[in-house]
mmCIF file of all heavy atoms in Angstrom:
data_model
loop_
_atom_site.group_PDB
_atom_site.id
_atom_site.type_symbol
_atom_site.label_atom_id
_atom_site.label_comp_id
_atom_site.label_asym_id
_atom_site.label_seq_id
_atom_site.Cartn_x
_atom_site.Cartn_y
_atom_site.Cartn_z
ATOM 1 N N SER M 374 5.141 -8.033 9.182
ATOM 2 C CA SER M 374 4.264 -8.016 7.984
ATOM 3 C C SER M 374 3.120 -9.048 8.149
ATOM 4 O O SER M 374 3.226 -10.105 8.842
ATOM 5 C CB SER M 374 5.055 -8.379 6.728
ATOM 6 O OG SER M 374 5.696 -9.609 6.894
ATOM 7 N N GLN M 375 2.001 -8.669 7.475
ATOM 8 C CA GLN M 375 0.791 -9.514 7.568
ATOM 9 C C GLN M 375 0.346 -9.819 6.159
ATOM 10 O O GLN M 375 0.624 -9.039 5.230
ATOM 11 C CB GLN M 375 -0.283 -8.768 8.295
ATOM 12 C CG GLN M 375 0.119 -8.246 9.683
ATOM 13 C CD GLN M 375 -0.836 -7.168 10.212
ATOM 14 O OE1 GLN M 375 -1.851 -6.861 9.560
ATOM 15 N NE2 GLN M 375 -0.584 -6.717 11.433
ATOM 16 N N PRO M 376 -0.407 -10.913 5.948
ATOM 17 C CA PRO M 376 -0.896 -11.233 4.569
ATOM 18 C C PRO M 376 -1.690 -10.040 3.988
ATOM 19 O O PRO M 376 -1.630 -9.820 2.806
ATOM 20 C CB PRO M 376 -1.823 -12.437 4.818
ATOM 21 C CG PRO M 376 -1.147 -13.141 5.966
ATOM 22 C CD PRO M 376 -0.673 -12.000 6.843
ATOM 23 N N ALA M 377 -2.349 -9.275 4.853
ATOM 24 C CA ALA M 377 -3.079 -8.047 4.337
ATOM 25 C C ALA M 377 -2.209 -6.966 3.800
ATOM 26 O O ALA M 377 -2.682 -6.072 3.127
ATOM 27 C CB ALA M 377 -3.947 -7.515 5.478
ATOM 28 N N ASP M 378 -0.875 -7.079 4.021
ATOM 29 C CA ASP M 378 0.057 -6.126 3.477
ATOM 30 C C ASP M 378 0.380 -6.457 2.049
ATOM 31 O O ASP M 378 1.105 -5.697 1.361
ATOM 32 C CB ASP M 378 1.339 -6.127 4.304
ATOM 33 C CG ASP M 378 1.136 -5.550 5.697
ATOM 34 O OD1 ASP M 378 0.274 -4.688 5.860
ATOM 35 O OD2 ASP M 378 1.848 -6.042 6.621
ATOM 36 N N SER M 379 -0.001 -7.616 1.528
ATOM 37 C CA SER M 379 0.256 -8.033 0.146
ATOM 38 C C SER M 379 -0.394 -7.049 -0.804
ATOM 39 O O SER M 379 -1.619 -6.808 -0.753
ATOM 40 C CB SER M 379 -0.223 -9.391 -0.068
ATOM 41 O OG SER M 379 0.345 -10.388 0.728
ATOM 42 N N ALA M 380 0.428 -6.474 -1.636
ATOM 43 C CA ALA M 380 -0.034 -5.413 -2.611
ATOM 44 C C ALA M 380 1.209 -5.006 -3.400
ATOM 45 O O ALA M 380 2.315 -5.544 -3.244
ATOM 46 C CB ALA M 380 -0.590 -4.241 -1.887
ATOM 47 N N THR M 381 0.983 -4.102 -4.366
ATOM 48 C CA THR M 381 2.123 -3.489 -5.074
ATOM 49 C C THR M 381 2.401 -2.134 -4.415
ATOM 50 O O THR M 381 1.526 -1.369 -4.108
ATOM 51 C CB THR M 381 1.764 -3.229 -6.560
ATOM 52 O OG1 THR M 381 1.560 -4.532 -7.172
ATOM 53 C CG2 THR M 381 2.873 -2.536 -7.301
ATOM 54 N N TYR M 382 3.701 -1.864 -4.170
ATOM 55 C CA TYR M 382 4.120 -0.675 -3.492
ATOM 56 C C TYR M 382 4.892 0.239 -4.542
ATOM 57 O O TYR M 382 5.824 -0.258 -5.158
ATOM 58 C CB TYR M 382 4.910 -0.974 -2.307
ATOM 59 C CG TYR M 382 4.072 -1.567 -1.193
ATOM 60 C CD1 TYR M 382 3.868 -2.905 -1.184
ATOM 61 C CD2 TYR M 382 3.483 -0.757 -0.252
ATOM 62 C CE1 TYR M 382 3.011 -3.501 -0.222
ATOM 63 C CE2 TYR M 382 2.709 -1.334 0.751
ATOM 64 C CZ TYR M 382 2.507 -2.701 0.737
ATOM 65 O OH TYR M 382 1.633 -3.243 1.761
ATOM 66 N N LEU M 383 4.435 1.463 -4.626
ATOM 67 C CA LEU M 383 5.021 2.389 -5.649
ATOM 68 C C LEU M 383 5.760 3.530 -4.879
ATOM 69 O O LEU M 383 5.288 4.019 -3.866
ATOM 70 C CB LEU M 383 3.867 3.046 -6.416
ATOM 71 C CG LEU M 383 2.966 2.087 -7.214
ATOM 72 C CD1 LEU M 383 1.638 2.768 -7.565
ATOM 73 C CD2 LEU M 383 3.671 1.659 -8.523
ATOM 74 N N CYS M 384 6.840 3.947 -5.435
ATOM 75 C CA CYS M 384 7.495 5.160 -4.926
ATOM 76 C C CYS M 384 7.323 6.205 -5.972
ATOM 77 O O CYS M 384 7.176 5.970 -7.212
ATOM 78 C CB CYS M 384 8.969 4.954 -4.600
ATOM 79 S SG CYS M 384 10.105 4.775 -5.999
ATOM 80 N N ALA M 385 7.225 7.441 -5.543
ATOM 81 C CA ALA M 385 7.005 8.626 -6.414
ATOM 82 C C ALA M 385 7.931 9.776 -5.988
ATOM 83 O O ALA M 385 8.048 9.981 -4.814
ATOM 84 C CB ALA M 385 5.565 9.024 -6.386
ATOM 85 N N LEU M 386 8.457 10.447 -6.901
ATOM 86 C CA LEU M 386 9.321 11.585 -6.687
ATOM 87 C C LEU M 386 8.726 12.851 -7.183
ATOM 88 O O LEU M 386 7.979 12.926 -8.130
ATOM 89 C CB LEU M 386 10.724 11.433 -7.401
ATOM 90 C CG LEU M 386 11.402 10.121 -7.283
ATOM 91 C CD1 LEU M 386 12.725 10.184 -8.057
ATOM 92 C CD2 LEU M 386 11.667 9.709 -5.854
ATOM 93 N N SER M 387 9.019 13.910 -6.463
ATOM 94 C CA SER M 387 8.595 15.237 -6.925
ATOM 95 C C SER M 387 9.608 16.323 -6.586
ATOM 96 O O SER M 387 10.218 16.204 -5.506
ATOM 97 C CB SER M 387 7.183 15.645 -6.306
ATOM 98 O OG SER M 387 6.748 16.856 -6.792
ATOM 99 N N TYR M 388 9.801 17.278 -7.484
ATOM 100 C CA TYR M 388 10.794 18.310 -7.240
ATOM 101 C C TYR M 388 10.096 19.616 -6.803
ATOM 102 O O TYR M 388 10.638 20.370 -6.018
ATOM 103 C CB TYR M 388 11.599 18.595 -8.494
ATOM 104 C CG TYR M 388 12.406 17.371 -8.909
ATOM 105 C CD1 TYR M 388 11.908 16.411 -9.723
ATOM 106 C CD2 TYR M 388 13.635 17.133 -8.352
ATOM 107 C CE1 TYR M 388 12.677 15.279 -10.044
ATOM 108 C CE2 TYR M 388 14.386 16.051 -8.633
ATOM 109 C CZ TYR M 388 13.890 15.099 -9.510
ATOM 110 O OH TYR M 388 14.597 13.961 -9.770
ATOM 111 N N ASN M 389 8.853 19.797 -7.232
ATOM 112 C CA ASN M 389 8.206 21.031 -6.923
ATOM 113 C C ASN M 389 6.718 20.854 -6.690
ATOM 114 O O ASN M 389 5.955 21.771 -6.617
ATOM 115 C CB ASN M 389 8.384 22.040 -7.995
ATOM 116 C CG ASN M 389 7.976 21.482 -9.374
ATOM 117 O OD1 ASN M 389 7.279 20.471 -9.462
ATOM 118 N ND2 ASN M 389 8.404 22.071 -10.430
ATOM 119 N N PHE M 390 6.278 19.603 -6.648
ATOM 120 C CA PHE M 390 4.887 19.224 -6.414
ATOM 121 C C PHE M 390 3.991 19.652 -7.537
ATOM 122 O O PHE M 390 2.758 19.624 -7.422
ATOM 123 C CB PHE M 390 4.338 19.733 -5.081
ATOM 124 C CG PHE M 390 4.551 18.685 -4.086
ATOM 125 C CD1 PHE M 390 5.647 18.732 -3.201
ATOM 126 C CD2 PHE M 390 3.721 17.566 -3.937
ATOM 127 C CE1 PHE M 390 5.891 17.717 -2.301
ATOM 128 C CE2 PHE M 390 3.911 16.595 -2.976
ATOM 129 C CZ PHE M 390 5.053 16.669 -2.193
ATOM 130 N N ASN M 391 4.572 20.091 -8.665
ATOM 131 C CA ASN M 391 3.774 20.325 -9.845
ATOM 132 C C ASN M 391 3.839 19.179 -10.797
ATOM 133 O O ASN M 391 3.095 19.147 -11.806
ATOM 134 C CB ASN M 391 4.183 21.589 -10.590
ATOM 135 C CG ASN M 391 3.964 22.835 -9.804
ATOM 136 O OD1 ASN M 391 3.132 22.862 -8.896
ATOM 137 N ND2 ASN M 391 4.638 23.903 -10.102
ATOM 138 N N LYS M 392 4.702 18.232 -10.541
ATOM 139 C CA LYS M 392 4.887 17.069 -11.404
ATOM 140 C C LYS M 392 5.383 15.896 -10.554
ATOM 141 O O LYS M 392 6.310 16.128 -9.734
ATOM 142 C CB LYS M 392 5.817 17.354 -12.539
ATOM 143 C CG LYS M 392 5.943 16.365 -13.614
ATOM 144 C CD LYS M 392 6.920 16.745 -14.709
ATOM 145 C CE LYS M 392 6.377 17.945 -15.545
ATOM 146 N NZ LYS M 392 7.303 18.174 -16.720
ATOM 147 N N PHE M 393 4.866 14.720 -10.768
ATOM 148 C CA PHE M 393 5.246 13.574 -10.001
ATOM 149 C C PHE M 393 5.719 12.461 -10.947
ATOM 150 O O PHE M 393 5.183 12.227 -11.998
ATOM 151 C CB PHE M 393 4.054 13.044 -9.164
ATOM 152 C CG PHE M 393 3.574 14.012 -8.073
ATOM 153 C CD1 PHE M 393 2.751 15.020 -8.398
ATOM 154 C CD2 PHE M 393 3.989 13.840 -6.812
ATOM 155 C CE1 PHE M 393 2.328 15.897 -7.428
ATOM 156 C CE2 PHE M 393 3.568 14.709 -5.818
ATOM 157 C CZ PHE M 393 2.760 15.712 -6.143
ATOM 158 N N TYR M 394 6.790 11.742 -10.481
ATOM 159 C CA TYR M 394 7.309 10.663 -11.263
ATOM 160 C C TYR M 394 7.180 9.396 -10.409
ATOM 161 O O TYR M 394 7.674 9.365 -9.323
ATOM 162 C CB TYR M 394 8.822 10.869 -11.621
ATOM 163 C CG TYR M 394 9.102 12.135 -12.384
ATOM 164 C CD1 TYR M 394 9.349 13.310 -11.695
ATOM 165 C CD2 TYR M 394 9.067 12.085 -13.782
ATOM 166 C CE1 TYR M 394 9.645 14.451 -12.403
ATOM 167 C CE2 TYR M 394 9.396 13.274 -14.500
ATOM 168 C CZ TYR M 394 9.648 14.418 -13.773
ATOM 169 O OH TYR M 394 9.917 15.585 -14.483
ATOM 170 N N PHE M 395 6.520 8.361 -10.954
ATOM 171 C CA PHE M 395 6.261 7.115 -10.255
ATOM 172 C C PHE M 395 7.171 6.043 -10.841
ATOM 173 O O PHE M 395 7.529 5.973 -11.998
ATOM 174 C CB PHE M 395 4.858 6.636 -10.454
ATOM 175 C CG PHE M 395 3.923 7.259 -9.485
ATOM 176 C CD1 PHE M 395 3.331 8.486 -9.683
ATOM 177 C CD2 PHE M 395 3.500 6.516 -8.351
ATOM 178 C CE1 PHE M 395 2.434 9.019 -8.789
ATOM 179 C CE2 PHE M 395 2.577 7.051 -7.465
ATOM 180 C CZ PHE M 395 2.056 8.315 -7.651
ATOM 181 N N GLY M 396 7.615 5.117 -9.942
ATOM 182 C CA GLY M 396 8.284 3.919 -10.333
ATOM 183 C C GLY M 396 7.212 2.894 -10.802
ATOM 184 O O GLY M 396 6.034 3.140 -10.681
ATOM 185 N N SER M 397 7.696 1.709 -11.260
ATOM 186 C CA SER M 397 6.779 0.696 -11.750
ATOM 187 C C SER M 397 6.222 -0.132 -10.605
ATOM 188 O O SER M 397 5.320 -0.932 -10.867
ATOM 189 C CB SER M 397 7.480 -0.194 -12.795
ATOM 190 O OG SER M 397 7.834 0.554 -13.948
ATOM 191 N N GLY M 398 6.797 -0.019 -9.470
ATOM 192 C CA GLY M 398 6.265 -0.722 -8.309
ATOM 193 C C GLY M 398 6.903 -2.085 -8.117
ATOM 194 O O GLY M 398 7.378 -2.704 -8.991
ATOM 195 N N THR M 399 6.771 -2.494 -6.846
ATOM 196 C CA THR M 399 7.249 -3.891 -6.481
ATOM 197 C C THR M 399 6.063 -4.561 -5.763
ATOM 198 O O THR M 399 5.463 -3.998 -4.869
ATOM 199 C CB THR M 399 8.420 -3.828 -5.489
ATOM 200 O OG1 THR M 399 9.542 -3.218 -6.086
ATOM 201 C CG2 THR M 399 8.809 -5.244 -5.024
ATOM 202 N N LYS M 400 5.773 -5.764 -6.287
ATOM 203 C CA LYS M 400 4.707 -6.578 -5.637
ATOM 204 C C LYS M 400 5.204 -7.321 -4.455
ATOM 205 O O LYS M 400 6.257 -8.006 -4.510
ATOM 206 C CB LYS M 400 4.113 -7.525 -6.692
ATOM 207 C CG LYS M 400 2.937 -8.278 -6.241
ATOM 208 C CD LYS M 400 2.266 -9.119 -7.274
ATOM 209 C CE LYS M 400 0.995 -9.782 -6.817
ATOM 210 N NZ LYS M 400 0.377 -10.609 -7.856
ATOM 211 N N LEU M 401 4.532 -7.134 -3.373
ATOM 212 C CA LEU M 401 4.859 -7.825 -2.075
ATOM 213 C C LEU M 401 3.878 -8.926 -1.849
ATOM 214 O O LEU M 401 2.642 -8.663 -1.855
ATOM 215 C CB LEU M 401 4.884 -6.817 -0.959
ATOM 216 C CG LEU M 401 5.054 -7.431 0.458
ATOM 217 C CD1 LEU M 401 6.449 -8.054 0.601
ATOM 218 C CD2 LEU M 401 4.819 -6.342 1.535
ATOM 219 N N ASN M 402 4.337 -10.109 -1.599
ATOM 220 C CA ASN M 402 3.513 -11.215 -1.206
ATOM 221 C C ASN M 402 3.889 -11.697 0.231
ATOM 222 O O ASN M 402 5.034 -12.119 0.421
ATOM 223 C CB ASN M 402 3.659 -12.439 -2.156
ATOM 224 C CG ASN M 402 3.161 -12.069 -3.570
ATOM 225 O OD1 ASN M 402 2.135 -11.560 -3.707
ATOM 226 N ND2 ASN M 402 4.013 -12.421 -4.567
#
Side-chain angles (χ1 to χ4, degrees):
Chain M
S374 59
Q375 305 165 1
D378 294 326
S379 298
T381 295
Y382 290 85
L383 302 160
C384 72
L386 312 182
S387 181
Y388 297 92
N389 54 17
F390 270 96
N391 292 340
K392 189 180 288 189
F393 295 81
Y394 301 90
F395 275 82
S397 295
T399 298
K400 187 174 182 180
L401 173 66
N402 296 313

